[in-house]
Amino acid sequence: MNHNRNGKIFVNFFILTILFYSAIAETYSFSNNNFDKNLHWHNTNYKKCSSQFGNNCYDYIVVGAGTAGSILARKLSDNPRNKVLLIEQGYWLSLNPVVQNASQWHLVRLDPLIERGYISTAQVGFGNRSIPVPRAQGTGGCNSMNAMVFLLGNRKDFDERWGKIDGWSWNDLSPYWDSIQETISPTQLDPKHPIMHKLLKGAIEIGYKYNPNPNNLNSKQGQGGVSARILMAKQISNNYAERRSSWNAYIQPILPRKNLDILVFTQVTKILFNKNLQAIGITTYNVGKKEYVHFYSRKEVILSAGVFDTPKLLLLSGIGPCNELNKYKIKCLANVQGVGKNLQDHTFIKIWSAPLRDQETPLPTNIFGMWGALAIEENGEYYHGLDVGEINGKKIIQIYAETFHYKSRGSITLLDKNPFSKPVIDPNLLSNSYDINKTLHSIKIARTFLSTKTISELTEDFNEINTPLFHTNDEKKLLEWIQQNIKSDAHPSSTCTMGNRFQDDKMIVVDRRLRVRHTKKLRIADASIIPNLISGNPNQITMIIGLKAADMILEDNS
Ligand SMILES: Cc1cc2nc3c(=O)[nH]c(=O)nc-3n(C[C@H](O)[C@H](O)[C@H](O)COP(=O)(O)OP(=O)(O)OC[C@H]3O[C@@H](n4cnc5c(N)ncnc54)[C@H](O)[C@@H]3O)c2cc1C
């Protein structure tokens, strides 16, 4: 199928989805014409929930059907006595073939009904460029848009870099890793394929150890301690065809479930609190009906709206730094200074590519972007992706570098008090010399790897056309080039940081049981609680957060 035809199908499908969902969104909305901001009115409705359901009452309300939210809603509703509401701003992505086809993952970002269109502020460390900050809306959230790389991080991330949070050590999390791996069954690349074999050999030439399964918890050199991870697992089905998102794996198999209601095209605009700062419900806006509706929770409200929208929702609801809220004339209910702070991310720079000398041997799979990955050092600080694919009919390999343990910290704040405005995102990446040096070093590692005998035999020369600055020793030039070309790798985290206990640090937003500071019956379960971004891609730890949150919530409400 040629690209034009692919493009047309994509556009047609896109128009059809808009029409279809505009129509069905109507049927998903509950009408409530008594919209009223009055606290007393909400309290009365909430109180009715304790004696009867109806009146838009649920036990649990989960905001956001993304990576963590899908798992959480599934687990909470596994007990038929729990009535659960899952609310999602986007639409049912399980009906979208582009989302479900693993090989088309790079097209998902082109769909404006899915991609939220967030852009950063001008980034000093990126030569004052503003960069796209990709985020998805729709069932599965970013797990319906992401590159499906399935890595679990390093033992030291949890045991040391997170600062020892009770219940969140590597050993505490291991059963959740096991359970998720079992459910997702990620696919591994074939290390015996001749091209993969050479990539691995090149890595071994510069000192890596071969690790047959990077996600094997018991492997000494694997995730649990690590000298190298050379193979990459992908969150896709065994035949390399379908995406295995948390939505596909956890919600899809249990639909329809009587005690789980799912609203799509519905944006949560506010969390409702009573006088004791107990979350009693939420306000939503339904895109189809153009109508505000309230829902009430008998037990808890859980925010799984992601790293930008969870803090945004807290701020809109009056939970955040009071001085900031005052600026927007939002009544400050609780001064929680860490909301929206401590934003972290990984960077990504595609460095060099070269055609393979052997153009005959078929590639490892028919999917462009099936990568072998390298992570160097015991700490897992650097990560080099190796793409094997086809560009303009030529088989190539390309390498990109990613650095994991950055020190730069950014923030997300409100633009204004309008819930429909996009947030102001300042990742503040490469803003200090430590991070700059790390990035330069990661590029040097890539160069050493590409210069090995094995890789030189595998590829044509890394000349200056495909590989700018491959031979230069001029760090200033290299740095300028980095600043112009480096991107976010779409791994933002930590904007509602978790800590062991609130008294440990005023910037902690949730405690180790994910309860929001100064509030009651309100928790967060998504990538925003990660204290320190891990040495790997964050989807899997976010899935674990969803799973562990469910356990804690059920335990506390039993
Ligand atoms: C392009 C891209 C590539 C990536 N590649 C990888 C990868 O290969 N491997 C990996 O491990 N990680 C990858 N990631 C990162 C990973 O996908 C995310 O870290 C993870 O999905 C975050 O999960 P979450 O539950 O925090 O948020 P999300 O999955 O984003 O879920 C949040 C959900 O909440 C909904 N929502 C937001 N606000 C509201 C509201 N007000 N009302 C109702 N609903 C709302 C959103 O629509 C969304 O569905 C990638 C991310 C992107 C964007």
Side-chain angles (χ1 to χ4, degrees):
M1 201 185 285
N2 68 29
H3 283 295
N4 265 347
R5 190 151 166 246
N6 253 339
K8 267 189 204 153
I9 289 176
F10 181 70
V11 171
N12 286 342
F13 178 76
F14 171 62
I15 292 168
L16 276 176
T17 11
I18 295 181
L19 293 174
F20 178 63
Y21 282 104
S22 313
I24 63 160
E26 299 280 321
T27 59
Y28 280 101
S29 124
F30 294 73
S31 89
N32 190 337
N33 297 323
N34 298 327
F35 177 60
D36 183 357
K37 289 182 189 139
N38 186 292
L39 183 61
H40 176 70
W41 186 79
H42 287 306
N43 261 326
T44 313
N45 280 329
Y46 168 70
K47 277 181 190 147
K48 283 188 202 156
C49 290
S50 55
S51 54
Q52 61 183 95
F53 283 117
N55 296 315
N56 297 354
C57 293
Y58 290 85
D59 286 309
Y60 299 105
I61 295 177
V62 180
V63 180
T67 306
S70 302
I71 297 183
L72 181 57
R74 155 69 190 265
K75 290 290 163 188
L76 293 177
S77 65
D78 274 350
N79 180 343
R81 280 188 299 188
N82 288 332
K83 203 174 167 216
V84 180
L85 174 64
L86 176 60
I87 304 190
E88 170 52 46
Q89 186 166 356
Y91 69 98
W92 292 96
L93 298 185
S94 37
L95 298 176
N96 184 326
V98 179
V99 169
Q100 300 313 322
N101 183 336
S103 69
Q104 296 189 331
W105 73 271
H106 52 288
L107 294 179
V108 179
R109 282 179 63 181
L110 305 180
D111 184 339
L113 269 188
I114 303 176
E115 167 55 56
R116 302 176 81 95
Y118 291 166
I119 306 279
S120 78
T121 56
Q123 296 296 290
V124 179
F126 284 17
N128 279 328
R129 284 181 299 134
S130 289
I131 51 163
V133 186
R135 284 293 94 180
Q137 58 186 14
T139 54
C142 285
N143 202 182
S144 289
M145 181 204 257
N146 70 18
M148 298 160 284
V149 174
F150 192 90
L151 286 175
L152 301 178
N154 187 304
R155 180 187 285 271
K156 288 182 185 167
D157 291 334
F158 313 99
D159 291 351
E160 293 170 23
R161 297 180 59 247
W162 279 24
K164 296 199 170 57
I165 302 177
D166 298 342
W168 293 84
S169 71
W170 175 268
N171 288 342
D172 293 321
L173 298 182
S174 295
Y176 296 103
W177 291 150
D178 285 342
S179 155
I180 283 170
Q181 285 201 79
E182 210 171 287
T183 311
I184 296 287
S185 309
T187 305
Q188 291 263 346
L189 291 176
D190 176 10
K192 293 194 201 82
H193 184 281
I195 297 173
M196 278 313 287
H197 183 74
K198 288 219 170 81
L199 293 177
L200 299 179
K201 209 172 143 208
I204 290 165
E205 220 177 289
I206 64 165
Y208 291 62
K209 290 191 191 118
Y210 176 63
N211 176 6
N213 179 1
N215 290 329
N216 178 359
L217 295 174
N218 302 320
S219 145
K220 275 201 185 134
Q221 19 157 254
Q223 295 287 314
V226 185
S227 55
R229 284 172 262 154
I230 315 184
L231 266 183
M232 183 169 290
K234 288 280 242 182
Q235 205 174 339
I236 51 181
S237 58
N238 276 334
N239 60 2
Y240 295 97
E242 297 140 39
R243 178 185 287 276
R244 295 276 296 152
S245 68
S246 60
W247 175 272
N248 292 351
Y250 286 87
I251 296 279
Q252 205 62 35
I254 54 106
L255 288 177
R257 186 174 256 184
K258 276 195 180 143
N259 63 327
L260 172 64
D261 285 350
I262 300 166
L263 298 184
V264 293
F265 271 142
T266 305
Q267 179 179 344
V268 176
T269 55
K270 201 171 179 182
I271 309 156
L272 302 171
F273 293 97
N274 68 13
K275 273 196 301 218
N276 303 322
L277 273 187
Q278 175 188 328
I280 57 170
I282 50 165
T283 302
T284 64
Y285 180 76
N286 183 282
V287 182
K289 284 220 159 191
K290 296 191 174 31
E291 181 181 69
Y292 287 92
V293 182
H294 310 296
F295 294 95
Y296 301 95
S297 59
R298 283 153 44 106
K299 291 183 177 157
E300 296 202 23
V301 173
I302 306 107
L303 306 182
S304 297
V307 69
F308 301 120
D309 289 273
T310 285
K312 178 182 156 188
L313 206 44
L314 285 172
L315 294 168
L316 286 169
S317 310
I319 311 293
C322 282
N323 55 352
E324 227 173 86
L325 296 176
N326 292 342
K327 274 196 279 179
Y328 306 113
K329 303 206 164 24
I330 294 172
K331 186 174 173 201
C332 187
L333 301 180
N335 191 12
V336 184
Q337 294 186 31
V339 175
K341 309 296 183 240
N342 197 30
L343 171 58
Q344 304 171 29
D345 202 351
H346 294 146
T347 56
F348 158 97
I349 185 161
K350 206 171 267 184
I351 320 176
W352 296 299
S353 64
L356 295 169
R357 287 190 199 280
D358 168 11
Q359 289 287 317
E360 303 304 317
T361 308
L363 294 178
T365 73
N366 58 355
I367 297 174
F368 183 74
M370 294 300 300
W371 302 311
L374 319 175
I376 303 182
E377 294 188 342
E378 295 253 315
N379 286 333
E381 283 195 60
Y382 301 106
Y383 169 104
H384 289 87
L386 295 165
D387 264 355
V388 187
E390 231 174 88
I391 290 184
N392 300 332
K394 264 208 140 175
K395 298 190 174 81
I396 59 130
I397 70 161
Q398 60 191 12
I399 185 163
Y400 65 86
E402 189 155 351
T403 310
F404 281 152
H405 302 173
Y406 276 155
K407 290 195 190 299
S408 307
R409 297 290 179 264
S411 64
I412 164 264
T413 49
L414 296 177
L415 179 68
D416 52 36
K417 65 191 289 187
N418 179 352
F420 305 103
S421 298
K422 291 189 173 123
V424 179
I425 299 170
D426 179 10
N428 197 26
L429 287 163
L430 291 194
S431 57
N432 68 39
S433 55
Y434 177 89
D435 293 357
I436 291 169
N437 290 335
K438 288 276 168 192
T439 307
L440 281 167
H441 188 61
S442 76
I443 286 180
K444 286 178 192 158
I445 295 170
R447 184 185 285 170
T448 313
F449 170 73
L450 296 175
S451 306
T452 56
K453 185 165 172 288
T454 314
I455 301 300
S456 312
E457 282 169 9
L458 180 71
T459 66
E460 288 175 22
D461 287 346
F462 280 84
N463 58 42
E464 289 288 329
I465 300 168
N466 289 323
T467 57
L469 307 177
F470 187 67
H471 299 286
T472 190
N473 288 320
D474 184 339
E475 287 209 343
K476 199 165 162 251
K477 265 195 190 165
L478 209 49
L479 183 59
E480 273 167 22
W481 176 70
I482 289 171
Q483 288 180 328
Q484 289 313 316
N485 292 285
I486 202 160
K487 297 175 179 152
S488 149
D489 199 22
H491 296 169
S493 74
S494 314
T495 51
C496 293
T497 300
M498 168 175 67
N500 200 28
R501 294 168 317 160
F502 290 128
Q503 55 267 42
D504 295 342
D505 185 339
K506 66 178 190 247
M507 300 309 277
I508 291 170
V509 175
V510 295
D511 67 3
R512 59 182 180 262
R513 295 195 76 78
L514 304 179
R515 296 171 292 213
V516 177
R517 189 192 278 264
H518 296 321
T519 69
K520 298 190 179 101
K521 308 275 183 195
L522 179 66
R523 294 193 216 224
I524 300 177
D526 60 25
S528 71
I529 67 107
I530 294 172
N532 225 329
L533 196 42
I534 59 162
S535 315
N537 305 51
N539 201 69
Q540 287 53 253
I541 180 60
T542 310
M543 294 175 85
I544 284 163
I545 291 166
L547 213 49
K548 188 168 165 64
D551 272 0
M552 292 190 295
I553 292 166
L554 291 172
E555 203 175 285
D556 292 352
N557 285 283
S558 64

